[in-house]
Amino acid sequence: MTSTPTRTAEFRPSESEVPTASGPRSLGTLSRRAAAALSFRTVGAVYVWLLIIVLFSVWAPDTFPTVTTVKQVLNGNAVAGLVALSLVLPLAARVFDLSVAYTMSLTSVLTAHFLVSTGLGPGAAIALAMTAALVVGVVNGVVVVVLRVDSFIATLATGALIQSLITMVTDDSSITGVQLLAKPFADIAQLDAGGITLPVLYLLLAATAIWFLLEHTATGRRLYATGFNADAARLQGVRTNRLRFLTLVTSALVSGFAGVVFASSVGSGSPSAGTPYLLSAYAAAFVGATQLRAGRFNAWGTVIAVLLLGTGITGLGLATSAQWAASLFTGAVLIVALVLTGGRITLPAVLRRHKAPTVAEADDVSVPDKEFT
């Protein structure tokens, strides 16, 4: 009869003893993560934003550092933020959509037209306008993905077609009427809580949805993979064409919604409503790509960039500066922000032209692609 061998008793440290060994290491890791998260390379635009706030607080101490100014910046840049966010998903997949400004103008005009000229209710008018935006997105997707036309040229051509339709409907004149000033349509953009209007809430909701999609879903990882290297993503089974198609549709819907909000905000349908937003939207998206998730187009970085530019332009207005100062400020901030925060993205590429990469450098370059395999 054999006896069953017994396992030798093992020493297991008590729970009170474990933190004494790992505690300093954990604190060091947390401190390094906090330092990285707050570094100028990660949130440089935030520091530039704070510097702008201090500058205008000294320049215009009676008008700028007030709660009213804060509300003005938020309310006045909510639509611009929506247009900028409409670009994040296409750009993440390396697709340009230059038709967003025209789509915004189209929905603004169509909503006003259906409300004033046809007598439809706000719900039906908005639904028809958003259907038109959906059609624009589908057409862009077909031309870019199915017909394989370069997205930059294709969406620019689509924008020209949209502008011709807008001119046909409006004869280049804004559409006005009491229906646009009456409730419930006016409440879409003019209803407020504590001085903060609803478009600010729309901006936060859109940013949260895009952030969640890109950072916490497999679809988001596939979008980034498509943008980084579409051929490699395709070999891994990612349906890159479908993703690019859907980003164009989403972009049209978001910019179309911005047009509806704009029409409710100003009480008219303008044939050039989206034109002033195109350059600033792309500027905010590209500056936002240098923040938080360096090298990746992301929602909250874009929102930070929009508010940075909006704060400076509002400050210049309150300081009673010349009219040309706003454009000068926008261009200067964009150049400085991209040089200071975005320069690190292109620097390794410049260095690699002059010397062969080491093994460690080669490993570092391949890290982003491993995330999507």
Side-chain angles (χ1 to χ4, degrees):
M1 180 176 179
T2 58
S3 60
T4 304
T6 59
R7 180 176 298 178
T8 306
E10 297 178 355
F11 171 75
R12 296 184 179 180
S14 62
E15 294 181 357
S16 61
E17 293 176 333
V18 173
T20 59
S22 61
R25 184 182 305 172
S26 300
L27 291 176
T29 302
L30 290 176
S31 62
R32 286 193 297 271
R33 289 180 178 178
L38 297 176
S39 68
F40 189 84
R41 288 187 172 186
T42 305
V43 289
V46 174
Y47 296 118
V48 174
W49 187 14
L50 294 175
L51 179 61
I52 290 172
I53 292 174
V54 172
L55 175 63
F56 284 110
S57 296
V58 175
W59 189 358
D62 296 330
T63 56
F64 185 80
T66 63
V67 176
T68 302
T69 302
V70 174
K71 296 176 182 178
Q72 182 178 349
V73 171
L74 293 175
N75 295 335
N77 292 278
V79 173
L82 286 173
V83 179
L85 286 176
S86 71
L87 300 172
V88 172
L89 292 180
L91 289 174
R94 196 168 291 183
V95 177
F96 287 90
D97 187 357
L98 297 181
S99 67
V100 291
Y102 302 98
T103 304
M104 176 182 170
S105 300
L106 178 65
T107 54
S108 170
V109 164
L110 289 181
T111 303
H113 173 73
F114 289 132
L115 280 173
V116 175
S117 301
T118 65
L120 293 177
I126 294 173
L128 290 174
M130 292 302 296
T131 301
L134 176 62
V135 172
V136 171
V138 172
V139 170
N140 282 337
V142 170
V143 175
V144 173
V145 177
V146 179
L147 301 181
R148 299 184 181 277
V149 179
D150 181 80
S151 62
F152 194 94
I153 303 300
T155 55
L156 186 62
T158 304
L161 295 176
I162 295 172
Q163 188 60 49
S164 66
L165 177 60
I166 293 173
T167 303
M168 186 187 306
V169 174
T170 65
D171 197 22
D172 279 338
S173 299
S174 296
I175 300 176
T176 59
V178 294
Q179 296 89 339
L180 299 171
L181 303 175
K183 297 181 178 182
F185 181 73
D187 289 341
I188 294 175
Q190 299 179 23
L191 189 66
D192 69 277
I196 304 298
T197 57
L198 279 180
V200 178
L201 176 62
Y202 306 150
L203 175 65
L204 295 177
L205 290 176
T208 301
I210 294 173
W211 163 79
F212 183 82
L213 174 67
L214 290 176
E215 301 295 336
H216 296 283
T217 67
T219 301
R221 292 191 292 273
R222 295 185 183 112
L223 277 173
Y224 280 134
T226 301
F228 287 147
N229 193 327
D231 292 333
R234 195 178 301 110
L235 292 175
Q236 293 293 329
V238 177
R239 297 182 177 179
T240 56
N241 286 337
R242 175 181 293 184
L243 289 175
R244 295 169 68 212
F245 190 100
L246 292 176
T247 58
L248 288 168
V249 172
T250 304
S251 175
L253 289 174
V254 176
S255 59
F257 178 70
V260 174
V261 175
F262 180 85
S264 174
S265 177
V266 302
S268 67
S270 172
S272 60
T275 304
Y277 292 100
L278 182 60
L279 180 59
S280 61
Y282 267 96
F286 275 94
V287 173
T290 68
Q291 304 301 302
L292 304 179
R293 301 284 286 171
R296 297 185 180 186
F297 293 96
N298 63 89
W300 294 116
T302 301
V303 171
I304 291 173
V306 168
L307 295 179
L308 184 154
L309 295 173
T311 300
I313 294 173
T314 301
L316 287 172
L318 294 175
T320 64
S321 59
Q323 294 182 353
W324 49 263
S327 299
L328 178 64
F329 167 81
T330 301
V333 168
L334 289 177
I335 292 174
V336 172
L338 289 174
V339 167
L340 294 180
T341 61
R344 70 188 186 280
I345 298 175
T346 58
L347 182 59
V350 174
L351 294 178
R352 284 195 294 270
R353 294 174 187 171
H354 297 282
K355 66 176 183 178
T358 62
V359 175
E361 290 172 342
D363 291 340
D364 290 339
V365 173
S366 63
V367 168
D369 291 334
K370 293 179 181 178
E371 183 179 349
F372 305 104
T373 57

